[in-house]
Amino acid sequence: AQKVTQAQTEISVVEKEDVTLDCVYETRDTTYYLFWYKQPPSGELVFLIRRNSFDEQNEISGRYSWNFQKSTSSFNFTITASQVVDSAVYFCALSEAWENTDKLIFGTGTRLQVFP
Amino acid sequence: GAVVSQHPSRVICKSGTSVKIECRSLDFQATTMFWYRQFPKQSLMLMATSNEGSKATYEQGVEKDKFLINHASLTLSTLTVTSAHPEDSSFYICSARDEPTLGSYEQYFGPGTRLTVT
């Protein structure tokens, strides 16, 4: 069965620290998609990245970077030099292509608090 | 990018009444829309998949008669919470998919509707 685990419930850091948010997933399919979303206090989900299962290249976008490792079924997200505006809940999500629905299975989220 | 709106953003209703939430794709056509529910400090749980012109597909444990979904056009899906009770109080989020081909889609999320049932 598909499942997304975000073991870190809450993380607190001081501004300028680097922080890594963990995501471990389970899937029976060989073709799947992984996502990260940010949910600030306003509640609106902000799309950060989508990665398909055949692309294991790490990605960097500004202060954000993602490490996808199929061998450990992990898709971790690192914020470098964190800022107060990064404070939010971050969700990792999985979508399996075989189900033909593209529905997203979300992890429980990690609440990140960045203090000045 | 594509924009999805939800209306209303907040609603307070009395127990026993029904509430309708609209989800609109503003600049694209969405054959498929999804409805999620999020309780405070919890994750998003998929409630149902809404397909234009056909019946919605509900996730296990979601009452079809309680949460009525209508996807009558390519830009509008509605979720009606019938006979609402305080335990239905939650944050309801919709998303819309703009590409029918599997694997090449992008899901766009609405801003959410906060429902409070008193």
Side-chain angles (χ1 to χ4, degrees):
Chain A
Q2 63 272 47
K3 186 180 177 183
V4 177
T5 301
Q6 294 180 255
Q8 304 149 308
T9 307
E10 284 198 37
I11 300 177
S12 295
V13 299
V14 177
E15 220 172 9
K16 296 185 184 176
E17 283 186 31
D18 298 347
V19 58
T20 295
L21 310 181
D22 299 332
C23 174
V24 174
Y25 61 92
E26 294 176 33
T27 176
R28 54 192 158 183
D29 202 8
T30 56
T31 302
Y32 52 90
Y33 303 88
L34 296 164
F35 303 77
W36 275 96
Y37 289 89
K38 173 182 179 180
Q39 188 178 42
S42 63
E44 186 163 357
L45 280 177
V46 178
F47 168 81
L48 296 178
I49 190 171
R50 178 181 73 186
R51 172 68 76 225
N52 75 55
S53 53
F54 298 110
D55 183 1
E56 283 193 76
Q57 270 196 329
N58 291 332
E59 175 140 349
I60 297 175
S61 176
R63 296 185 297 107
Y64 296 167
S65 62
W66 291 269
N67 184 339
F68 177 27
Q69 294 199 345
K70 286 178 78 170
S71 60
T72 55
S73 297
S74 65
F75 186 43
N76 297 337
F77 171 35
T78 297
I79 301 174
T80 303
S82 59
Q83 300 176 1
V84 173
V85 293
D86 295 327
S87 297
V89 180
Y90 291 85
F91 290 98
C92 180
L94 165 74
S95 172
E96 289 180 329
W98 78 279
E99 283 205 350
N100 201 32
T101 62
D102 299 333
K103 63 183 183 183
L104 291 172
I105 307 299
F106 284 86
T108 48
T110 297
R111 183 176 299 275
L112 172 65
Q113 288 193 306
V114 182
F115 293 100
Chain B
V3 179
V4 175
S5 70
Q6 276 185 246
H7 178 80
S9 57
R10 288 177 179 270
V11 57
I12 300 173
C13 71
K14 291 189 176 178
S15 192
T17 62
S18 295
V19 175
K20 181 185 281 189
I21 302 170
E22 293 184 350
C23 177
R24 291 182 186 272
S25 55
L26 297 186
D27 47 4
F28 66 98
Q29 294 185 327
T31 54
T32 303
M33 290 184 173
F34 302 89
W35 286 96
Y36 296 84
R37 180 167 57 183
Q38 184 180 30
F39 291 111
K41 297 195 175 184
Q42 293 191 27
S43 186
L44 283 80
M45 299 300 294
L46 179 67
M47 298 175 67
T49 302
S50 168
N51 295 297
E52 187 266 336
S54 63
K55 289 184 179 180
T57 303
Y58 290 81
E59 294 300 301
Q60 197 171 9
V62 177
E63 299 175 59
K64 305 178 184 185
D65 296 331
K66 174 120 185 113
F67 299 100
L68 301 179
I69 291 173
N70 186 290
H71 193 158
S73 78
L74 287 172
T75 59
L76 174 64
S77 176
T78 60
L79 168 68
T80 302
V81 183
T82 62
S83 187
H85 290 286
E87 56 266 29
D88 298 324
S89 298
S90 187
F91 192 52
Y92 291 88
I93 306 174
C94 74
S95 70
R97 200 179 87 186
D98 73 340
E99 175 58 55
T101 305
L102 251 187
S104 58
Y105 77 100
E106 187 71 56
Q107 263 193 55
Y108 300 96
F109 283 84
T113 296
R114 192 165 300 282
L115 170 64
T116 303
V117 185
T118 61

